Amino acid sequence: MSFSYARQLRKIYPDIKLGMVVTDRNIEFAKLSNENEHIIDVIVNRKDVLRNSKKWDVLLDFLSKENTKRMIWKKILNPKITIIFGENYEGHHYNKEILKNYDFDCTPPMETHIIDYLIDSEFSKYFKIEKQKPHIELLQQDINKMEEFWNFSLENSYKKVKILLVPQGSDREMNPGEVSQLLNNISEEKMKKVKIIMGNTNGSDEYFKKLKPLVNKKLDISLSPQFDIRKYVLFMATSDIVVGVDGGGIHIATSLNKPLLSFYANNKYNLCRWSPKTTADSLQTISRTAGNHNQTYNFSLSKPIQWLNTQIEKISETK
């Protein structure tokens, strides 16, 4: 999402110098996203903010909650102007009334998607901010190198529709029974046309052990190697369809404009902020159980089953 903001800012300020503060967790993803587009001038690890103290004019803070570590690094960075976009959290001991370490509060309405935060911000008083869709620019030669992980060994097997399954997010996952029900309802004729690989993250070995016995033995399904973030993104770029739960994998898939079948908790705040933004033929499925953003179960599967079968047929015709 940060790169979408960067494109909007670059549009209204062509000569701007843009920096991005990142953590150890997301620095490699930031580098990959910037590798071919070069929209960000400086990527700063949060541990190195001391070297950037008083060098920046404006800090845009898009994170929701304040905490001690973030207060410290922002104090060290010491920009001339700080603009915040997070919620108030009145019950939190670091709320906006107590802690006024900002110059402008541009918190958007709850219904605003996170990619549109700048649309009605302080900048919009002076400029027309164009809407953005997330995307990552990758080189085809780098994508092609990841094709080998689909393990196409039999003649004509390379013509199979490649489905990347990402049923786990960082703090949520789909019920393996519901995932197997979806996959088992791929029509028998189409089962021969697909190759399914499940993304491998923390806890995936155990999850796949639960899932595999539930899946029709006629389906070609396996667990991917555990990739670093660069290889993971490039591997996803080789897929034809992405099926998964709300999380980082889904947002990467939208950036790659993949046909996407996504499963979300029935939580209004999370749906408004984080629903997929894509122009590809996609379907978002929402839990029948209202609750918090981690309750990713109890889905009606009739429309997802129909969508998946239709996509498999459509894509297989182009192989």
Side-chain angles (χ1 to χ4, degrees), residues 44-286:
V44 180
N45 192 311
R46 194 166 66 184
K47 295 186 296 188
D48 298 326
V49 291
L50 183 59
R51 299 176 189 175
N52 287 266
S53 181
K54 298 184 179 181
K55 292 182 179 180
W56 297 95
D57 294 314
V58 182
L59 170 67
L60 306 185
D61 184 358
F62 293 100
L63 295 181
S64 295
K65 287 184 180 180
E66 191 67 277
N67 60 44
T68 303
K69 285 185 178 179
R70 293 184 61 242
M71 286 171 55
I72 291 172
W73 73 253
K74 287 196 294 185
K75 184 70 174 177
I76 294 172
L77 191 65
N78 197 15
K80 294 177 184 176
I81 298 171
T82 297
I83 304 176
I84 62 171
F85 295 81
E87 296 76 30
N88 193 10
Y89 289 98
E90 293 180 2
H92 194 269
H93 51 277
Y94 292 143
N95 64 64
K96 293 177 187 177
E97 301 306 317
I98 296 174
L99 185 68
K100 295 193 176 181
N101 59 345
Y102 57 90
D103 301 284
F104 296 95
D105 179 0
C106 293
T107 301
M110 190 186 82
E111 294 79 13
T112 306
H113 194 282
I114 193 167
I115 202 172
D116 295 327
Y117 275 18
L118 291 186
I119 298 295
D120 296 314
S121 68
E122 197 70 20
F123 296 101
S124 68
K125 295 178 181 179
Y126 311 98
F127 302 96
K128 178 176 173 55
I129 311 294
E130 295 182 0
K131 281 185 172 284
Q132 283 280 322
K133 189 193 81 67
H135 72 269
I136 304 174
E137 293 185 12
L138 302 174
L139 297 180
Q140 190 60 48
Q141 63 193 44
D142 293 331
I143 296 171
N144 291 343
K145 293 175 184 176
M146 301 303 292
E147 288 282 359
E148 64 181 271
F149 290 100
W150 287 94
N151 296 321
F152 291 139
S153 56
L154 300 175
E155 186 179 358
N156 293 327
S157 63
Y158 64 90
K159 294 183 179 181
K160 286 189 174 185
V161 176
K162 297 171 288 187
I163 300 175
L164 180 60
L165 181 65
V166 282
Q168 297 172 287
S170 57
D171 51 5
R172 64 185 69 93
E173 65 181 33
M174 294 180 67
N175 184 310
E178 291 186 304
V179 175
S180 65
Q181 185 181 346
L182 171 69
L183 299 179
N184 291 341
N185 275 280
I186 296 173
S187 68
E188 190 163 341
E189 178 190 354
K190 293 182 180 68
M191 284 185 180
K192 304 171 186 176
K193 299 179 180 180
V194 300
K195 168 83 173 179
I196 304 169
I197 294 185
M198 186 182 122
N200 194 337
T201 185
N202 292 333
S204 291
D205 287 331
E206 194 62 34
Y207 186 97
F208 191 71
K209 286 178 184 177
K210 296 177 184 176
L211 176 64
K212 184 69 184 293
L214 303 176
V215 174
N216 191 314
K217 290 181 171 54
K218 293 180 181 178
L219 279 170
D220 183 356
I221 183 169
S222 59
L223 182 65
S224 82
Q226 202 162 39
F227 297 123
D228 59 31
I229 187 60
R230 178 185 179 83
K231 287 186 176 180
Y232 178 68
V233 174
L234 290 167
F235 180 65
M236 184 177 287
T238 67
S239 67
D240 297 309
I241 300 170
V242 177
V243 177
V245 73
D246 172 23
I250 293 300
H251 303 307
I252 293 171
T254 62
S255 297
L256 296 171
N257 212 33
K258 292 293 177 184
L260 173 65
L261 177 55
S262 59
F263 292 86
Y264 274 66
N266 191 346
N267 177 269
K268 183 179 179 181
Y269 173 86
N270 189 60
L271 290 169
C272 290
R273 288 287 198 261
W274 291 104
S275 288
K277 287 274 191 176
T278 178
T279 57
D281 190 350
S282 300
L283 177 68
Q284 181 186 31
T285 306
I286 300 169

